[in-house]
Amino acid sequence: MYEEIISEIKSNLGENKELNKKYLSSQIEKYVDHPNSKEITREISRMMWDCLTEEEQNEFAQISQNDNQIIDILNEITPDIESGEYETALKKLDRFIESFHPIFEDDEKSEYHYFTNLLEEILFNKYVGAEKTVRYIPDNQPLLDLYYIYGFLLLETNQIDKAEQYLKKSIKINPVSSRIILELCEIYKRHTYNYNKYYMHATDALKYAYTPQDIARSYRTLGHYYVEENLLETAFALFRYSMEYEMNPMAYSEITYLQNKSINLSLEESVEIIKNRNIQLGVNTFILDTLNELASEYEENKLYNQALYYLRVQYNLTNNEELIKKIENLQNMLKY
């Protein structure tokens, strides 16, 4: 059975190396749940190597020499961050960054990106787009997380300029990451001369957000903007509506503060104000449509784990009971 699968994959390869790479990537996903998935993936990886340019092969050779540098340091500082020991974590990262030489840097012909899933890549292609040839940072080189966490720690220790520098490095790798954009907003919030950037980044974060937590935080971030602008009813509406996605104590605190200033709106009134301000209401419809398409496409191709992932993301955003039935049906199919 294993030999037949490999033989079939090889027979479908052509002369175009770029098309071969895309085809081989799809085959890794196709056989992810196969009993021989490890052996199949290893053989496909060998075929993939032959599709790489000499430059790409050299890059991966360098990676193998320093295979898990980034993963190791991130694992080392995780307990410090979880216990709130930010300065301890920062000292360790400072030492690492001083001697770290990243391999994946943009050049005249290429730009490097990393996306958590296909949805993020589709969002990037629709709203941002590439100026050069896109090349992908592999999973075992989490530069995105390295720069994001470093930027976060710098911000927490009030090193604002340096925090902005590293968060921008992170956002360059994934321009549609709401969590990184919202962290940048915290920087622009502290510099009133950058308040236009604050607003623009907050609306971008809302546009790209596909988790209830990121959507809620985007509305809270916009709410703070309107507090500063002294448009308190709009601020209240945003904090109130954010609670539809996450019951966050910060939002509750802001609502209480505004209620003490004699501002109190119903959910319906809040929705009307948000609409009148031309602020996106709820999830970006493009995201919902894309999630539906991805789930359907993976299900048609019998890639049930991937279909389940996108159905669950969709359900978390909509609480649509019909999706529960689909999820249960796919879970049952995976049992057989």
Side-chain angles (χ1 to χ4, degrees):
M1 183 66 175
Y2 161 75
E3 289 79 8
E4 290 175 9
I5 291 170
I6 296 303
S7 179
E8 182 186 352
I9 292 172
K10 286 181 177 178
S11 69
N12 289 320
L13 296 175
E15 296 298 321
N16 189 313
K17 290 189 175 183
E18 285 302 316
L19 290 178
N20 287 345
K21 280 194 282 188
K22 290 180 180 178
Y23 168 70
L24 290 170
S25 294
S26 72
Q27 295 306 292
I28 289 174
E29 288 192 359
K30 180 177 178 179
Y31 292 105
V32 70
D33 296 316
H34 192 276
N36 299 112
S37 63
K38 189 177 290 185
E39 292 81 4
I40 293 169
T41 300
R42 189 180 295 120
E43 189 58 39
I44 291 175
S45 297
R46 292 192 186 103
M47 294 184 225
M48 189 82 82
W49 177 262
D50 293 332
C51 298
L52 300 177
T53 64
E54 184 178 348
E55 184 183 356
E56 289 171 328
Q57 289 178 348
N58 289 335
E59 283 180 355
F60 281 99
Q62 289 181 59
I63 292 167
S64 63
Q65 294 171 9
N66 306 291
D67 198 16
N68 291 317
Q69 266 191 338
I70 302 175
I71 293 173
D72 289 344
I73 187 62
L74 293 179
N75 286 338
E76 184 183 341
I77 65 171
T78 295
D80 298 321
I81 294 172
E82 289 176 347
S83 61
E85 299 290 333
Y86 294 152
E87 289 192 3
T88 302
L90 183 58
K91 285 177 183 176
K92 292 176 182 178
L93 263 190
D94 278 336
R95 288 195 297 270
F96 178 83
I97 293 289
E98 281 176 13
S99 59
F100 176 64
H101 301 290
I103 298 167
F104 301 100
E105 293 283 322
D106 290 4
D107 55 39
E108 291 181 2
K109 296 180 180 178
S110 307
E111 56 185 79
Y112 287 88
H113 295 288
Y114 177 83
F115 303 107
T116 308
N117 52 48
L118 187 54
L119 171 63
E120 289 184 354
E121 187 170 357
I122 291 169
L123 287 170
F124 170 78
N125 288 331
K126 177 174 175 62
Y127 292 111
V128 182
E131 296 178 0
K132 307 171 189 174
T133 301
V134 172
R135 299 175 74 175
Y136 297 99
I137 300 172
D139 289 342
N140 70 340
Q141 294 291 306
L143 273 177
L144 181 80
D145 291 332
L146 176 69
Y147 293 148
Y148 168 72
I149 292 170
Y150 193 43
F152 164 79
L153 291 171
L154 289 164
L155 182 57
E156 288 296 313
T157 52
N158 212 34
Q159 299 181 58
I160 307 298
D161 291 340
K162 197 172 180 182
E164 182 179 9
Q165 176 190 345
Y166 277 91
L167 287 172
K168 281 184 172 179
K169 281 177 178 281
S170 188
I171 205 67
K172 193 173 183 181
I173 293 171
N174 186 345
V176 297
S177 172
S178 292
R179 65 173 178 142
I180 303 170
I181 295 170
L182 289 166
E183 209 62 42
L184 268 174
C185 284
E186 291 300 313
I187 290 172
Y188 299 136
K189 182 178 173 182
R190 301 186 191 190
H191 294 300
T192 53
Y193 56 84
N194 273 333
Y195 239 60
N196 284 338
K197 280 187 179 180
Y198 178 85
Y199 180 83
M200 290 169 61
H201 277 68
T203 54
D204 278 346
L206 180 58
K207 180 167 60 180
Y208 305 141
Y210 60 89
T211 69
Q213 295 78 15
D214 282 347
I215 291 171
R217 188 180 172 190
S218 298
Y219 281 121
R220 293 197 302 271
T221 302
L222 286 166
H224 288 298
Y225 171 83
Y226 281 101
V227 167
E228 292 297 322
E229 293 293 302
N230 204 33
L231 295 167
L232 301 186
E233 284 197 345
T234 302
F236 185 100
L238 290 159
F239 290 125
R240 172 66 186 85
Y241 190 65
S242 78
M243 300 283 270
E244 294 298 296
Y245 288 93
E246 183 183 43
M247 300 296 287
N248 186 280
M250 292 175 66
Y252 181 78
S253 175
E254 293 292 345
I255 287 169
T256 303
Y257 164 77
L258 292 168
Q259 284 174 333
N260 290 334
K261 290 183 172 292
S262 302
I263 297 168
N264 200 4
L265 303 168
S266 68
L267 176 61
E268 291 74 18
E269 290 169 328
S270 297
V271 166
E272 200 59 35
I273 287 174
I274 292 169
K275 286 180 179 177
N276 289 339
R277 287 281 177 192
N278 292 317
I279 297 169
Q280 177 184 305
L281 186 70
V283 192
N284 182 347
T285 54
F286 177 76
I287 286 178
L288 291 177
D289 291 342
T290 303
L291 287 169
N292 189 49
E293 289 169 10
L294 287 170
S296 298
E297 185 178 336
Y298 279 120
E299 185 178 356
E300 286 171 14
N301 287 288
K302 303 188 186 311
L303 297 168
Y304 299 130
N305 279 317
Q306 290 90 328
L308 275 169
Y309 171 80
Y310 290 109
L311 283 172
R312 286 171 180 145
V313 173
Q314 200 175 354
Y315 175 74
N316 287 337
L317 292 169
T318 63
N319 293 317
N320 185 334
E321 292 300 320
E322 290 182 12
L323 292 172
I324 289 289
K325 295 176 185 175
K326 287 186 178 181
I327 290 168
E328 288 174 349
N329 287 338
L330 287 183
Q331 285 173 332
N332 289 331
M333 292 178 78
L334 280 170
K335 293 176 183 178
Y336 301 104

